[in-house]
Amino acid sequence: MKLLRSVLLATGLAAAILAPVAASAQDVKPRLIRFGYGLSESSNQGRAVKFFVEEMAKRSGGKLKVKGFADASLGSDIQMQNALIGGAQEMMVGSTATLVGIVKDFAVFDLPFLFNNEQEADAVFDGPFGQKLAAKLNEKGLVGLVYWENGFRNLTNSKRPVTKVEDLKGIKLRVMQNPVYIDMFNGFGANAVPLSFSELFTAMETGTVDGQENPVTTIQSSKFYEVQKYLTISKHVYSPWIVLASKRWYDGLSADERKIIAEAAAASRDFERKDSREASKQSIAYLKDKGMQINELSDAELGRMREMVKPAMDKFAAEGGADLLNELQGEITKVRK
Ligand code: TF8
């Protein structure tokens, strides 16, 4: 190469030949990137993956080919996390709640009634606190790229309307595989059943569980209205998704490739949040139309729930989470208007 260059320089061809190369001076190789996710292709998650696929193609001149795998076809969130750590899969998006087995600190986001609105969440996840937690994934073999919005979680079930906490008594409620969720819903009197999302629809259909909790966008896109009659707008937790890369794979990329991924990921975050928020505004009417009976919770009832959930909060603090929770609450106060 060196020799060739000097020959070219000598012959004066250098400018003509090297200039176009320099203009796209990017160290980008053709690569196939498998990107797994749990929801359907037509969900807000699926739309944002599609956006990311397109951004990557655009920004890399078609070299970085991302292939999206919907419906947990590469595995549940936890299975995919492990595939990323092992280097068998390149990328995924999933709940932060299922990362607690890898970085315990993520459980702080699962504590209920922390955020008042999406803007507070954006500021905290994109700010130093969210970034600090994401960085903790590095030593575990994962790269946390950006947070997407899953949304405020609401309750559904097939048994009865939930207008007060007592209505949850005895309801077998699927929760994510995460101790905070288990403690929280057992604290409300339900029987919390931890289960991966990919098993959830069948579990509700067969009556293994009576209910679940997820944002309205997911209740719509996963067609939970087919097996759930009652929806309670409880907004008990603001739930983020996190876009992850395999560190083993990522470390082998060039700086240019990493830059493209980081920029495409940031663009996908902005797209996803806007899209999810718009979609969620339509969901309630859609779900009503599908026959769901929907109710809100009064402020008084939400206040009672906050009280009932204190033991779960205290347990989190007592088990080493106190400083982290204080720090998070401090960050939220800073951005609260
Ligand atoms: C859940 C989450 C799901 C995610 C998704 C499959 O209930 O809310 O949105 O795990 O990535 O499991």
Side-chain angles (χ1 to χ4, degrees):
M1 190 58 206
K2 227 180 190 166
L3 180 69
L4 177 65
R5 193 180 301 168
S6 46
V7 170
L8 292 173
L9 281 170
T11 56
L13 278 172
I17 292 175
L18 292 179
V21 177
S24 61
Q26 279 191 329
D27 182 7
V28 181
K29 292 198 181 69
R31 293 180 191 273
L32 182 68
I33 301 164
R34 286 159 295 183
F35 191 122
Y37 60 103
L39 299 193
S40 70
E41 226 176 281
S42 62
S43 68
N44 53 338
Q45 202 176 46
R47 288 192 297 273
V49 171
K50 183 165 176 273
F51 178 91
F52 181 73
V53 169
E54 289 164 359
E55 281 296 301
M56 289 280 282
K58 240 187 269 167
R59 288 165 192 266
S60 69
K63 285 187 183 163
L64 300 179
K65 278 205 176 67
V66 184
K67 182 159 170 42
F69 291 86
D71 297 312
S73 55
L74 294 183
S76 67
D77 284 4
I78 289 176
Q79 286 167 331
M80 290 196 288
Q81 290 158 15
N82 290 323
L84 260 59
I85 291 169
Q89 181 184 328
E90 291 76 29
M91 292 187 75
M92 65 171 284
V93 62
S95 180
T96 54
T98 49
L99 278 171
V100 292
I102 295 168
V103 173
K104 197 173 165 232
D105 286 1
F106 274 103
V108 75
F109 294 134
D110 305 312
L111 295 167
F113 305 117
L114 293 175
F115 295 99
N116 282 345
N117 55 51
E118 288 86 353
Q119 287 65 38
E120 288 180 5
D122 290 355
V124 169
F125 285 105
D126 299 345
F129 190 87
Q131 298 312 302
K132 185 174 84 174
L133 256 63
K136 288 195 178 181
L137 292 164
N138 287 344
E139 63 200 62
K140 305 290 183 180
L142 294 170
V143 180
L145 290 163
V146 283
Y147 294 98
W148 287 358
E149 169 156 302
N150 188 356
F152 279 102
R153 304 181 78 88
N154 301 300
L155 287 161
T156 67
N157 83 94
S158 57
K159 293 279 177 205
R160 53 182 170 263
V162 173
T163 57
K164 53 183 187 318
V165 192
E166 285 71 18
D167 297 328
L168 279 172
K169 196 154 181 53
I171 287 196
K172 286 177 281 170
L173 194 95
R174 175 271 179 176
V175 293
M176 291 190 278
Q177 293 131 302
N178 172 300
V180 173
Y181 277 94
I182 299 171
D183 290 344
M184 176 173 16
F185 282 98
N186 284 336
F188 290 147
N191 295 337
V193 183
L195 210 61
S196 74
F197 186 86
S198 44
E199 292 171 88
L200 177 52
F201 189 93
T202 309
M204 291 189 292
E205 197 174 31
T206 56
T208 307
V209 298
D210 306 314
Q212 63 87 45
E213 43 86 54
N214 253 300
V216 284
T217 41
T218 298
I219 297 166
Q220 175 175 352
S221 63
S222 292
K223 301 193 164 76
F224 288 169
Y225 52 81
E226 289 180 357
V227 287
Q228 300 277 276
K229 174 80 182 160
Y230 305 102
L231 166 60
T232 302
I233 305 299
S234 50
K235 297 190 168 185
H236 48 276
V237 177
Y238 177 87
S239 194
W241 282 323
I242 187 166
V243 177
L244 298 169
S246 157
K247 181 143 194 308
R248 209 186 247 201
W249 167 74
Y250 195 78
D251 284 348
L253 301 177
S254 71
D256 288 334
E257 289 167 334
R258 278 187 233 137
K259 185 162 178 272
I260 292 173
I261 294 173
E263 288 173 356
S268 75
R269 173 196 62 206
D270 298 343
F271 167 87
E272 195 273 347
R273 285 178 182 164
K274 195 163 171 277
D275 177 64
S276 290
R277 284 165 200 174
E278 277 163 17
S280 71
K281 285 188 207 143
Q282 327 288 326
S283 291
I284 301 272
Y286 183 92
L287 295 171
K288 228 180 236 165
D289 192 53
K290 289 289 177 189
M292 285 193 98
Q293 190 177 315
I294 306 173
N295 69 274
E296 307 222 348
L297 286 177
S298 68
D299 286 345
E301 204 48 41
L302 286 168
R304 288 183 66 223
M305 285 173 87
R306 276 176 206 263
E307 280 302 311
M308 287 176 84
V309 90
K310 276 203 174 131
M313 302 284 267
D314 292 345
K315 186 175 166 205
F316 176 84
E319 287 176 355
D323 289 347
L324 196 67
L325 177 56
N326 277 337
E327 198 186 329
L328 174 55
Q329 282 169 328
E331 290 297 309
I332 298 174
T333 311
K334 264 193 234 162
V335 300
R336 186 155 285 169
K337 291 201 176 98

